[in-house]
Amino acid sequence: MTTATAPASPPAREVRTYDFRRPTKLSREHLRVLEMAFDTLCRQWTTLLTTTLRTTCAMECSSIAQLTYDEYVSSLEQPTTLFLLDLEPVTGAGLLDVSVPVSMTVVDHLLGGPGRADQPARTFSEIEHTLLVSVFDRALGELGYAFEGVLPLAATIRGIETSPQFAQAASPSDSLCVASFELTIGAQVCLATLALPFGEVFAAVERSL
């Protein structure tokens, strides 16, 4: 007598909580377009920072996510270097976050220093503020090239905050497209992030497909 074999159980699926108030809109096609843009930005920044600072620099995109402004700000270190960005033709503000040790290393190299590992964690002097803006303004100028064919994006820095909760660049529930990068400047490595208004970036990506 042949014993019937029970059918194999289907593999367990990962269960994720779905937030109906903020449904995720990024499909694989959307992510592919954004990954290409941010990978281009990484290559441009790697070249620009290496030649400007005369030290080994590297930047690699590690993830792209849709977050609310409140979620994004809550995830940032304190103190940090949070650049507040004016964007054209996008109406909302953008944000670029870099760790204080990496920012201090940038300043150290610009002033002819060795970029030592023990960088101070403090607010920036007026000279340090000016030097940081000069470098990252040039770096952000590469956004237009990276997003060519998607959105004629231009960014300028209108300020720096070291305490994220004081930035108040958007409403807590506003949705952002947040790209995370592993940024290496000499001996310093940090997780840098670039946040752009989700709605207009998403619409531009949709049109490009």
Side-chain angles (χ1 to χ4, degrees), residues 142-186:
E142 300 295 336
L143 270 175
Y145 178 74
F147 276 81
E148 187 177 16
V150 178
L151 182 65
L153 198 57
T156 53
I157 297 171
R158 61 177 168 89
I160 300 176
E161 284 286 354
T162 53
S163 297
Q165 69 269 25
F166 294 143
Q168 298 181 342
S171 298
S173 60
D174 284 354
S175 197
L176 301 175
C177 176
V178 180
S180 299
F181 308 91
E182 183 177 290
L183 177 61
T184 303
I185 307 288

Side-chain angles (χ1 to χ4, degrees), residues 24 40 60-61 71 123 125-126 128 154 164 166 173-174 190 194 208:
T24 301
T40 299
E60 183 176 350
C61 185
E71 288 171 335
T123 56
S125 68
E126 186 175 344
E128 290 165 345
F166 294 143
S173 60
D174 284 354
C190 79
L194 176 63
S208 71

Side-chain angles (χ1 to χ4, degrees), residues 82-102:
L82 186 61
F83 296 91
L84 310 181
L85 312 178
D86 286 326
L87 302 173
E88 292 291 343
V90 178
T91 54
L95 298 147
L96 170 66
D97 178 70
V98 179
S99 75
V100 172
V102 164

Side-chain angles (χ1 to χ4, degrees), residues 104-133:
M104 287 296 191
T105 300
V106 169
V107 171
D108 195 6
H109 281 293
L110 288 172
L111 295 176
R116 63 185 189 277
D118 57 334
Q119 295 294 335
R122 56 168 174 76
T123 56
F124 304 111
S125 68
E126 186 175 344
I127 291 176
E128 290 165 345
H129 184 285
T130 301
L131 289 172
L132 286 171
V133 169

Side-chain angles (χ1 to χ4, degrees), residues 17-35:
T17 302
Y18 188 83
D19 188 350
F20 286 93
R21 296 169 301 176
R22 185 172 55 86
T24 301
K25 298 180 179 179
L26 292 174
S27 67
R28 290 182 180 178
E29 289 74 20
H30 297 123
L31 286 172
R32 192 175 300 115
V33 172
L34 290 170
E35 285 167 356

